[in-house]
């Protein structure tokens, strides 16, 4: 479990795949970081794209990371 959110962990390939999909799209990066830090994504279009990509989900009025693993990994590798 200590390696789960790292590139060398059991989910490394899966996590890198998602990282490379959004890395050069600053709107998506900022939206994902906002959802990790504050459970919001003010731009509805970006929120929908992140949900469709499986990176976030709605929880009532909030936009939250899909899971804690994603939150930890993307916060680390997107320099959040």
């Amino acid at each position: 479990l200590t390696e789960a959110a790292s590139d060398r962990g059991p989910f490394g390939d899966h996590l890198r795949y998602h990282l490379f999909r959004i890395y050069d799209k600053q709107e998506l990066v900022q939206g994902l970081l906002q959802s990790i830090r504050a459970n919001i994504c003010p731009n509805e279009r970006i929120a929908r794209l992140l949900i469709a990509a499986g990176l976030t989900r709605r929880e009532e009025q909030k936009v939250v990371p899909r899971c804690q693993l994603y939150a930890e990994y993307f916060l680390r590798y997107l320099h959040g």
Side-chain angles (χ1 to χ4, degrees):
L1 289 176
T2 59
E3 292 288 318
S6 76
D7 280 334
R8 291 171 287 166
F11 306 106
D13 289 340
H14 173 76
L15 294 168
R16 277 190 307 277
Y17 167 77
H18 285 295
L19 178 65
F20 293 138
R21 287 179 60 203
I22 68 166
Y23 193 76
D24 61 345
K25 297 173 179 73
Q26 283 304 305
E27 287 181 312
L28 294 177
V29 168
Q30 292 307 312
L32 182 55
L33 289 173
Q34 286 177 320
S35 75
I36 293 168
R37 290 185 192 127
N39 295 328
I40 61 167
C41 185
N43 185 320
E44 185 60 29
R45 182 180 69 82
I46 297 301
R48 287 183 187 164
L49 289 171
L50 291 169
I51 292 167
L55 298 174
T56 60
R57 60 186 168 83
R58 287 211 189 270
E59 196 170 274
E60 296 177 15
Q61 298 299 327
K62 299 175 185 177
V63 177
V64 299
R66 182 63 142 189
C67 60
Q68 187 61 34
L69 176 65
Y70 283 6
E72 290 175 22
Y73 180 83
F74 290 112
L75 197 56
R76 178 185 303 162
Y77 288 96
L78 293 175
H79 310 292

